[in-house]
Amino acid sequence: MKHNRFLSFVAAAIVAVTAMAADKAPRYVFYFIGDGMGLGHVNAAQAFYRDVMGNEAGLPMMQFPVNSVATTYSASSPVTDSAAAGTALSTGRKTANGMLGVTPDSVAVESIATALHREGWGIGVVTSVSPDDATPGAFYAHQPARSMYYEIGLDAAACGYEFIAGSNLRGVKNKAGEPTDLLQRLAEQQVSVVRGIDGLETVDTRRVLLLNTDSLNVNNIGYTIDSLPGVLTLPAMTRACLDHLERQSPDRFFMMVEGGNIDHAAHANDGGAVVKEIVNFNEAIQIAVDFYNAHPDETLIVITADHDTGGLSMGNSFLKYDANLGVYNYQKMSKDRFSAECKAILNSRRIFTWEDMQELLTENFGFWKYIPLTDAQTDALREAFVDTFELKRSGDQKTLYSSFNAFAVTVFQILNDHAGLGFTTTSHAGNLVPVYAIGVDSARFNGLNDNTQIPAKILQIIQNP
């Protein structure tokens, strides 16, 4: 099904960006951050969305009248981490990698969300990863280390924001696995902790902390590609936040929405999960676009990324001058989930043969049936299978959030080869990231931006129209 509803206002918006009355400030601001979403990631997702899904208009964010870029270096490195990048995007100040909401000498700096909340704006912070993770935490926390989850949780309790959503809080247990008093401290601040969208139906409080129905997965809500039943989704959380802010602060509100799973998938070098997370991210963006259509003279939408993860590019040595993103339609599970299945096989007493594995790969990735592997690729898979499952002598690939079974690494390298995607690292890259904007005075984001300039420009638009 083609989604062309965005086109109805694009032409008018391009004219309106420059013609809009300069003396009118926005009352509603949506700030979307694609964690790890570099230009290569967007390019691949755009190709998938257009050529595979059949949406000729392209991703909603790619149709915004402002399409520019930003630099992301931190105070300590040309390659930023999420804490330093989140601090820059929330406060307009550079800091060292690993530090959250503070300067390199640990002086607290105020986020745009805090500044607006003090002026009476309703605030929502939404993420597909943990709400105490680096990017969401940068909008309310002030800690010298991003790993201080209990202290970050206390900052969340004290911030006063109307709505925070994500997978699970890590500060509810200490390093020894013992319960902390964080939930009690949240209750003392009159924060209703709710699990799942359905739980919101019985809540009528100003402050809400929405968590996932799956209380075991602390890192994220689950990948779009895995289609886990019952868990939160980024579009559902975005809609819930918007509905809550329209009830609690209808005159003016600010929302930060992070597509955190883009970063997790890119750390894994899982190309299929990356493009589908960006498509999912754009479904959340479409909710803001629909709101913009109803309030075009009062709304500003800004989209960017905190950094590039994985150094993804479209084009590799296997396909050379070609790419075939359609192979990801045959991928039925993420690299995380497939690796977990491989580890479960290793830990079981079942005798799992190469023929069993071939059947599993055909069913979940389309190998041999839909994706014609070369003899060399089949041999590489067979050798990796023997090393991993028979000789049990292969090591795991360790990334920031996961440890992947060696056989899974080989499978996903071959899958990416056939898609035409390439990764340079399982860590971050120092590449430029995209900036998209539409709405009141959005032309200010044209040209080259530094990440510190983005929140500063948002505040300028609000305070000095």
Side-chain angles (χ1 to χ4, degrees), residues 195-214:
R195 287 203 172 273
I197 296 296
D198 292 343
L200 293 173
E201 296 176 359
T202 59
V203 172
D204 187 24
T205 56
R206 184 181 70 83
R207 299 193 63 195
V208 171
L209 172 60
L210 175 63
L211 299 177
N212 202 12
T213 53
D214 178 4

Side-chain angles (χ1 to χ4, degrees), residues 123 131 217 272 280 287-288 329 351 376 378 386 431 444:
I123 304 296
N217 186 359
N280 183 260
I287 293 170
N329 271 346
I351 298 175
T378 298
V386 171
N431 299 326
R444 294 198 195 194

Side-chain angles (χ1 to χ4, degrees), residues 153-436:
L154 293 181
D155 286 342
C159 72
Y161 296 172
E162 282 70 19
F163 194 95
I164 297 177
S167 57
N168 284 287
L169 289 175
R170 289 170 286 194
V172 296
K173 292 184 179 180
N174 60 25
K175 292 182 179 180
E178 301 165 337
T180 67
D181 66 345
L182 180 55
L183 291 177
Q184 177 185 338
R185 300 289 288 274
L186 286 162
E188 291 171 355
Q189 294 293 329
Q190 298 182 317
V191 179
S192 294
V193 180
V194 179
R195 287 203 172 273
I197 296 296
D198 292 343
L200 293 173
E201 296 176 359
T202 59
V203 172
D204 187 24
T205 56
R206 184 181 70 83
R207 299 193 63 195
V208 171
L209 172 60
L210 175 63
L211 299 177
N212 202 12
T213 53
D214 178 4
S215 61
L216 298 178
N217 186 359
V218 298
N219 282 338
N220 59 61
I221 60 174
Y223 290 109
T224 302
I225 200 168
D226 288 328
S227 301
L228 300 175
V231 302
L232 291 174
T233 68
L234 190 64
M237 288 190 289
T238 302
R239 167 56 62 191
C241 181
L242 177 56
D243 289 345
H244 185 77
L245 291 178
E246 285 190 288
R247 289 192 299 269
Q248 299 297 325
S249 184
D251 292 333
R252 48 186 180 168
F253 58 74
F254 170 91
M255 282 178 58
M256 190 290 291
V257 180
E258 181 200 23
N261 273 351
I262 301 169
D263 175 68
H264 288 213
H267 275 291
N269 288 179
D270 183 345
V274 166
V275 298
K276 292 184 179 182
E277 286 302 323
I278 295 177
V279 169
N280 183 260
F281 183 54
N282 274 262
E283 290 175 4
I285 291 168
Q286 185 64 52
I287 293 170
V289 168
D290 291 342
F291 185 91
Y292 167 85
N293 285 337
H295 308 274
D297 297 332
E298 303 172 302
T299 305
L300 172 65
I301 306 174
V302 180
I303 305 167
T304 190
D306 54 352
H307 52 73
D308 177 312
T309 299
L312 173 63
S313 67
M314 189 160 61
N316 60 27
S317 297
F318 182 73
L319 287 189
K320 302 186 188 316
Y321 296 96
D322 200 4
N324 180 18
L325 280 298
V327 302
Y328 290 132
N329 271 346
Y330 306 120
Q331 181 184 345
K332 306 303 181 187
M333 61 175 66
S334 65
K335 186 175 179 179
D336 289 72
R337 187 174 175 188
F338 180 68
S339 179
E341 289 209 8
C342 289
K343 291 177 181 179
I345 292 169
L346 278 168
N347 293 329
S348 71
R349 295 183 178 182
R350 176 186 173 186
I351 298 175
F352 199 82
T353 67
W354 168 239
E355 289 71 26
D356 293 329
M357 180 57 75
Q358 285 180 299
E359 183 178 340
L360 184 64
L361 294 177
T362 299
E363 179 182 352
N364 290 288
F365 301 101
F367 284 5
W368 300 291
K369 184 177 182 179
Y370 301 111
I371 302 175
L373 269 60
T374 66
D375 290 342
Q377 288 172 332
T378 298
D379 290 343
L381 282 172
R382 179 74 176 89
E383 182 179 345
F385 177 85
V386 171
D387 280 348
T388 302
F389 293 95
E390 295 179 5
L391 301 178
K392 299 182 180 180
R393 65 184 184 187
S394 60
D396 286 355
Q397 178 193 62
K398 298 185 185 300
T399 67
L400 182 61
Y401 295 105
S402 298
S403 177
F404 295 105
N405 172 275
F407 183 74
V409 174
T410 304
V411 168
F412 277 78
Q413 178 60 60
I414 291 172
L415 184 63
N416 289 333
D417 282 348
H418 280 270
L421 298 188
F423 291 88
T424 63
T425 178
T426 58
S427 298
H428 294 182
N431 299 326
L432 295 171
V433 297
V435 178
Y436 308 108

Side-chain angles (χ1 to χ4, degrees), residues 98 100 132 143-152 175:
L100 196 62
D132 53 16
Q143 300 298 333
R146 60 179 291 184
S147 60
M148 299 173 66
Y149 302 123
Y150 172 73
E151 291 80 4
I152 293 170
K175 292 182 179 180

